């Protein structure tokens, strides 16, 4: 009888697990719930915190590695039907901070992970670069300046699959200022790790500026989602900005610096705008907390005016 009483709690626990639809349905003590995390059977790297929820279907995940001590460089979701990247995501921390590797100078190589049939090709099947003579810059999504620690890591940021078409006034102006702001946050006193996901809008017709004659999609909006982990826990913020043709459309302060605060939003709002579930690998409680902070609180927490 004593043995039976001792086994009853274990039997009850096993029954709870057996009756659960999956591991997220059983709210057991000490086990954080996560109902929207990525499945990792095809892409194990999709468990990393910088990853949003994978779209699946006709989209591929391209995992770029440097095959050295640095490991994963950045990852990209590529839509094979639209022939466009949806986002690139990566980490920033002491292990890949800094470096003095020069900017890659040999053009924009084809991504060796992508079959030519999933990229832009001429009638004879020869691949081509759709950005040349288009009037748009090769807009890095994972920036070259964020990957100065390794020659191979920097070269990979020039893959055509890491590019979105951007007007030069946007690419070299307010967008570059946003990227520099993220690098300003990449300091040991501010973060243990930054988890970054960036891209342009390609999924909704009202969020596409135009589609060029060669099929290249020009996003109407660009976004950055940033998650910070430090000794205090997690916090998150986002930028959402329209891709305009004139530099004068972006407000500046009295010193001529681009003002970034007009483009700050929280992650939940960015998810509504983009249809992308960011930072889905956080446990549900933490994810809900960091994604719903008010905009003014976000500006304060991230030191933005």
């Amino acid at each position: 009888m004593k043995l039976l009483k001792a086994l009853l709690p274990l039997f009850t626990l096993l029954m709870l697990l057996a009756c659960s639809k999956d591991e997220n349905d059983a709210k057991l003590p000490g086990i954080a719930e996560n109902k929207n995390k990525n499945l990792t059977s095809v892409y194990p790297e999709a468990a990393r915190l910088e990853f949003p929820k994978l779209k699946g279907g006709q989209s591929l995940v391209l995992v770029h590695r440097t095959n050295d001590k640095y490991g994963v460089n950045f990852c990209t979701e590529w839509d094979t039907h639209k022939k466009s990247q949806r986002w690139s995501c990566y980490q920033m921390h002491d292990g890949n901070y800094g470096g003095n590797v020069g900017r890659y100078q040999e053009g924009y190589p084809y991504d060796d992970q992508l079959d030519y049939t999933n990229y832009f090709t001429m009638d004879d099947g020869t691949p081509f670069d759709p950005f040349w003579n288009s009037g748009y810059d090769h807009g890095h999504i994972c920036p070259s300046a964020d990957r100065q620690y390794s020659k191979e890591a920097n070269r990979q940021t020039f893959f055509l699959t890491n590019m979105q078409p951007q007007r030069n006034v946007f690419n070299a102006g307010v967008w570059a200022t946003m990227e520099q702001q993220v690098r300003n946050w990449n300091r040991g006193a501010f973060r243990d790790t930054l988890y970054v996901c960036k891209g342009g809008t390609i999924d909704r017709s009202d969020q596409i500026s135009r589609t060029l004659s060669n099929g290249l999609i020009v996003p109407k909006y660009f976004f950055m989602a940033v998650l910070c982990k430090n000794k205090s826990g997690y916090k998150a913020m986002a930028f959402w900005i329209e891709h305009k043709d004139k530099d004068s459309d972006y407000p500046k302060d009295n010193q001529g610096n681009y003002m970034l605060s007009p483009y700050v939003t929280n992650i939940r709002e960015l998810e509504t705008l983009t249809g992308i579930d960011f930072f889905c690998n956080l446990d549900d409680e933490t994810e809900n907390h960091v994604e719903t902070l008010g905009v003014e609180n976000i500006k304060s927490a991230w030191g933005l005016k």
Side-chain angles (χ1 to χ4, degrees), residues 271-287:
E271 291 176 337
T272 299
L273 291 165
T274 62
I276 299 172
D277 183 0
F278 295 96
F279 308 127
C280 65
N281 295 317
L282 285 171
D283 68 86
D284 293 342
E285 183 177 357
T286 302
E287 182 182 5

Side-chain angles (χ1 to χ4, degrees), residues 50-291:
E50 66 268 28
F51 267 79
K53 187 77 172 179
L54 302 184
K55 192 171 184 65
Q58 56 204 5
S59 295
L60 303 173
V61 175
L62 309 173
V63 180
H64 300 104
R65 298 177 178 274
T66 55
N67 295 319
D68 54 25
K69 66 178 182 178
Y70 297 108
V72 174
N73 184 13
F74 69 96
C75 301
T76 296
E77 185 171 76
W78 179 265
D79 190 301
T80 60
H81 176 69
K82 298 176 184 292
K83 291 180 167 46
S84 179
Q85 75 117 263
R86 183 168 287 106
W87 46 257
S88 288
C89 66
Y90 55 99
Q91 296 182 8
M92 303 173 77
H93 48 71
D94 285 347
N96 60 27
Y97 174 74
N100 55 6
V101 171
R103 184 180 172 92
Y104 182 74
Q105 298 291 337
E106 299 180 37
Y108 300 89
Y110 298 106
D111 191 330
D112 54 14
Q113 293 190 42
L114 196 66
D115 185 272
Y116 287 163
T117 59
N118 291 321
Y119 200 64
F120 292 90
T121 56
M122 298 178 181
D123 292 338
D124 62 358
T126 304
F128 72 94
D129 180 350
F131 292 79
W132 289 117
N133 299 317
S134 68
Y136 292 90
D137 285 0
H138 293 79
H140 284 71
I141 301 302
C142 177
S144 165
D146 286 1
R147 290 302 189 248
Q148 297 290 316
Y149 57 85
S150 157
K151 287 185 178 180
E152 178 60 15
N154 192 263
R155 185 186 77 89
Q156 289 175 353
T157 68
F158 284 81
F159 284 158
L160 285 166
T161 51
N162 185 46
M163 302 293 156
Q164 284 282 16
Q166 294 182 338
R167 288 294 191 190
N168 180 259
V169 294
F170 177 85
N171 181 30
V174 65
W175 182 254
T177 301
M178 286 182 174
E179 292 182 322
Q180 183 57 54
Q181 179 59 67
V182 175
R183 283 190 287 276
N184 291 344
W185 288 324
N186 187 30
R187 301 287 187 272
F190 186 85
R191 58 89 185 114
D192 293 331
T193 304
L194 293 179
Y195 304 93
V196 183
C197 184
K198 299 163 55 184
T201 52
I202 65 169
D203 290 315
R204 286 172 37 181
S205 59
D206 63 329
Q207 293 183 351
I208 292 174
S209 177
R210 57 185 62 87
T211 301
L212 304 186
S213 59
N214 60 23
L216 186 67
I217 294 173
V218 181
K220 187 175 181 179
Y221 299 93
F222 282 86
F223 60 84
M224 301 185 187
V226 187
L227 175 70
C228 174
K229 179 181 182 296
N230 58 29
K231 61 183 179 181
S232 299
Y234 292 95
K235 58 183 176 183
M237 63 82 62
F239 288 123
W240 168 261
I241 185 167
E242 188 171 353
H243 182 205
K244 299 180 181 181
D245 295 337
K246 297 179 180 179
D247 184 62
S248 58
D249 289 332
Y250 301 106
K252 302 177 180 67
D253 62 20
N254 293 334
Q255 287 73 46
N257 302 310
Y258 292 99
M259 299 173 65
L260 300 184
S261 60
Y263 313 109
V264 174
T265 188
N266 65 27
I267 300 298
R268 189 60 49 85
E269 176 64 16
L270 187 65
E271 291 176 337
T272 299
L273 291 165
T274 62
I276 299 172
D277 183 0
F278 295 96
F279 308 127
C280 65
N281 295 317
L282 285 171
D283 68 86
D284 293 342
E285 183 177 357
T286 302
E287 182 182 5
N288 183 66
H289 173 71
V290 302
E291 291 187 353

Side-chain angles (χ1 to χ4, degrees), residues 1-9:
M1 183 62 71
K2 290 182 178 179
L3 178 60
L4 179 59
K5 289 181 178 180
L7 290 175
L8 277 175

